[in-house]
Amino acid sequence: MKAAVTTYHVPVLLQESIAGLNIQPDGIYADMTFGGGGHSYEILHHLSDKGHLYGFDQDADAEQNIPDDGRFTFVRSNFRYLKNWMRYYNVETLDGVLADLGVSSHHFDEAERGFSFRQDAPLDMRMNKRAGQTAADIVANYDEDRLANLLYYYGELSRARQIAATIVKKRASQTIATTQQLAEIVAPFFKREREKKDLARLFQALRIEVNHEMEALGEMLRAATTLLRPGGRLVVITYHSLEDRMVKNLMRSGNIEGKVEQDFFGRTSSPLVAKPSKPIVPTAEEIDRNPRSRSAKLRIAEKC
């Protein structure tokens, strides 16, 4: 078996995630965010020759980490198409689904991908470099209202409307094509003590929009819930409130909107049971070892 490329990405809450999956040696599993392969390699360690793992990733860079293992199938695709691909591979049920929703350290380290404001680079932010609009396209073409809305809802920025108005005004006289150009334009709106945090929120908002992350997450979660067999586990690591709220809603109410449905007797009806009821968070030791894990929350649910 080919060794994992550990420099690509350090997996967050690795042992807690594996424990949460409650892996059955002969089971069929799906890692929705293969990336550097850290979680996938650990899952494979727990599978017998009869078990199988499907690893999803739309980023071509992830292919360098594919294990040379007959129990593994790499799916170069957005995880929103989980249901379609399982049908393609004639998989009717899954024993577990794992998703680490964070952007990998690999993406932040590759300046040319434009995910970070800490390095000057083209405003790209596409997970799939083969298609789709870039962050620069959004900054250049969205009207003021649409731009303000995405900064407010996806970045949770209180001054989203003023920021959007300034971007629209600036782009009339100059092309905003790089991370540093954008950072300099919006800098006056952020207090010095919160500048990095608020810039990170702005870049997060653009990244979510570029990659349609919320829509994709909703489709994947619904598909996973349908595909899991009774007793199967859904394990999701989130990093910001938007995605965590969606995952929490699904595990509590059975839908991403959080609408609680009750039967005739007033009993709550949901296909999932959270195990445990509260999210697992990284220890201080893990945060020291891997600062990226600081905002991580691990949620686990079992199919009824």
Side-chain angles (χ1 to χ4, degrees):
M1 182 188 295
K2 185 170 66 177
V5 184
T6 55
T7 56
Y8 182 102
H9 173 67
V10 179
V12 170
L13 293 165
L14 176 60
Q15 297 307 321
E16 294 87 344
S17 300
I18 299 304
L21 279 173
N22 190 30
I23 296 173
Q24 308 303 305
D26 296 346
I28 301 176
Y29 293 84
D31 181 351
M32 310 290 13
T33 47
F34 175 71
H39 288 103
S40 282
Y41 277 80
E42 193 64 27
I43 293 170
L44 288 169
H45 286 321
H46 290 75
L47 293 181
S48 71
D49 290 339
K50 295 180 181 179
H52 202 85
L53 172 63
Y54 294 88
F56 283 69
D57 208 299
Q58 61 184 330
D59 189 347
D61 289 355
E63 295 187 35
Q64 65 183 298
N65 306 315
I66 296 174
D68 182 14
D69 192 316
R71 300 169 301 164
F72 181 83
T73 298
F74 182 76
V75 183
R76 187 176 176 181
S77 173
N78 189 301
F79 61 37
R80 72 192 308 165
Y81 302 116
L82 169 63
K83 187 175 182 180
N84 303 56
W85 282 104
M86 291 301 94
R87 185 184 301 120
Y88 175 82
Y89 286 111
N90 296 314
V91 175
E92 295 183 359
T93 60
L94 292 168
D95 293 274
V97 175
L98 168 69
D100 178 354
L101 301 179
V103 179
S104 76
S105 53
H106 169 74
H107 289 127
F108 284 120
D109 292 340
E110 283 206 327
E112 66 272 15
R113 302 294 293 272
F115 284 97
S116 174
F117 57 84
R118 290 181 170 84
Q119 304 175 76
D120 196 18
L123 268 175
D124 194 319
M125 300 193 192
R126 291 174 298 170
M127 294 291 187
N128 181 352
K129 294 184 288 187
R130 297 168 292 164
Q133 66 181 349
T134 66
D137 294 329
I138 291 172
V139 169
N141 299 318
Y142 276 25
D143 64 37
E144 185 177 321
D145 282 345
R146 190 177 182 189
L147 190 57
N149 286 339
L150 83 88
L151 294 178
Y152 181 77
Y153 289 111
Y154 292 162
E156 300 179 295
L157 294 167
S158 60
R159 303 186 69 184
R161 190 155 298 283
Q162 296 99 309
I163 294 171
T166 298
I167 290 173
V168 170
K169 182 178 179 179
K170 286 286 186 180
R171 77 188 187 193
S173 59
Q174 70 175 87
T175 300
I176 307 172
T178 70
T179 57
Q180 287 303 302
Q181 285 177 325
L182 179 59
E184 289 172 6
I185 289 169
V186 302
F189 293 98
F190 304 141
K191 295 180 180 179
R192 184 173 296 277
E193 64 271 18
R194 287 187 53 86
E195 183 177 14
K196 290 183 179 179
K197 181 174 289 188
D198 286 336
L199 272 174
R201 288 174 178 267
L202 184 142
F203 274 63
Q204 169 187 290
L206 290 172
R207 190 200 76 227
I208 290 173
E209 181 74 3
V210 166
N211 297 289
H212 307 289
E213 291 180 23
M214 302 313 292
E215 298 94 330
L217 176 58
E219 289 182 36
M220 184 275 287
L221 291 173
R222 284 188 286 266
T225 303
T226 301
L227 286 164
L228 282 172
R229 66 163 179 79
R233 295 289 183 90
L234 175 63
V235 176
V236 186
I237 304 172
T238 67
Y239 295 84
H240 59 76
S241 61
L242 298 172
E243 59 192 16
D244 186 62
R245 187 179 305 118
M246 189 178 290
V247 174
K248 180 173 65 175
N249 284 344
L250 179 82
M251 292 183 176
R252 288 183 176 178
S253 64
N255 58 76
I256 60 175
E257 295 81 14
K259 297 177 182 177
V260 178
E261 298 180 2
Q262 297 180 329
D263 62 17
F264 179 78
F265 300 100
R267 295 173 297 195
T268 300
S269 175
S270 175
L272 300 170
V273 176
K275 291 181 173 285
S277 59
K278 294 184 178 181
I280 297 170
V281 297
T283 62
E285 290 77 14
E286 175 159 6
I287 293 172
D288 286 341
R289 185 174 63 253
N290 185 5
R292 175 181 169 273
S293 68
R294 185 178 303 276
S295 61
K297 291 182 179 179
L298 169 65
R299 294 188 182 273
I300 303 164
E302 183 173 286
K303 180 75 173 287
C304 297

